[in-house]
Amino acid sequence: MRVRSAADANGSRLFVARAFAPVLSAKDDSVIIDIHSAMSRYAVGGIYSATKGRPLVGDQLAAPGTRPERVHVVGIHVGYIDTAMAANATDPKMNPADLVSTVLDALEAGEYEVLANETSVQLKAGLSAPSRPSTPSWPPRPPRTRLAPWS
């Protein structure tokens, strides 16, 4: 997959949402549902993962002055969903019908963010964990020593 086409495909959601905002604002009870895969939080899939890490639509539309009037924006975070795309995945998968039910319940409750399964709950909790380098520094740094104070 070429870098530009991957970036355009995964980054165009914000532009689509903004394009429809005037139409949605004119209607009562309009909603934008932005579904984020776990890949938006992991950096494991090369360019695919990097483009998934672009700003999330819900986050962008929630910024002051950017949220369309009278449009509810909700971000749905989810791991694997039991679809053809995840057919080869061995991790637990969420039933698509359960996801739809979870999203509808969240909309009815007026929520703005939904952690749809255990994968998304763990990822959200991990965002506040201390950062660790993914690779050791090279060359190794010598241990720090305290210098004697000036006499």
Side-chain angles (χ1 to χ4, degrees):
M1 183 180 285
R2 294 177 40 198
V3 173
R4 181 62 189 217
S5 62
D8 288 347
N10 291 319
S12 63
R13 299 175 314 168
L14 176 61
F15 302 116
V16 170
R18 284 187 174 162
F20 280 95
V23 174
L24 294 172
S25 293
K27 306 288 183 189
D28 291 332
D29 300 323
S30 293
V31 176
I32 294 175
I33 299 171
D34 187 28
I35 298 182
H36 321 128
S37 74
M39 290 298 287
S40 68
R41 300 289 188 207
Y42 281 124
V44 295
I47 190 60
Y48 176 82
S49 184
T51 61
K52 287 290 189 179
R54 291 179 105 180
L56 306 172
V57 172
D59 295 344
Q60 291 294 308
L61 290 176
T66 61
R67 177 179 295 283
E69 289 186 41
R70 300 173 21 161
V71 177
H72 182 85
V73 180
V74 62
I76 311 298
H77 303 273
V78 69
Y80 287 116
I81 302 170
D82 195 7
T83 63
M85 186 174 179
N88 295 326
T90 57
D91 290 342
K93 300 173 195 171
M94 185 172 198
N95 181 311
D98 293 341
L99 177 60
V100 170
S101 179
T102 299
V103 170
L104 292 176
D105 289 346
L107 288 172
E108 191 171 296
E111 295 178 21
Y112 292 93
E113 179 180 55
V114 177
L115 305 178
N117 61 7
E118 187 59 30
T119 300
S120 58
V121 170
Q122 290 174 4
L123 283 171
K124 179 77 173 194
L127 292 176
S128 62
S131 298
R132 297 183 293 144
S134 57
T135 57
S137 60
W138 191 260
R141 295 182 188 162
R144 293 183 182 202
T145 57
R146 290 188 175 239
L147 299 174
W150 291 97
S151 305

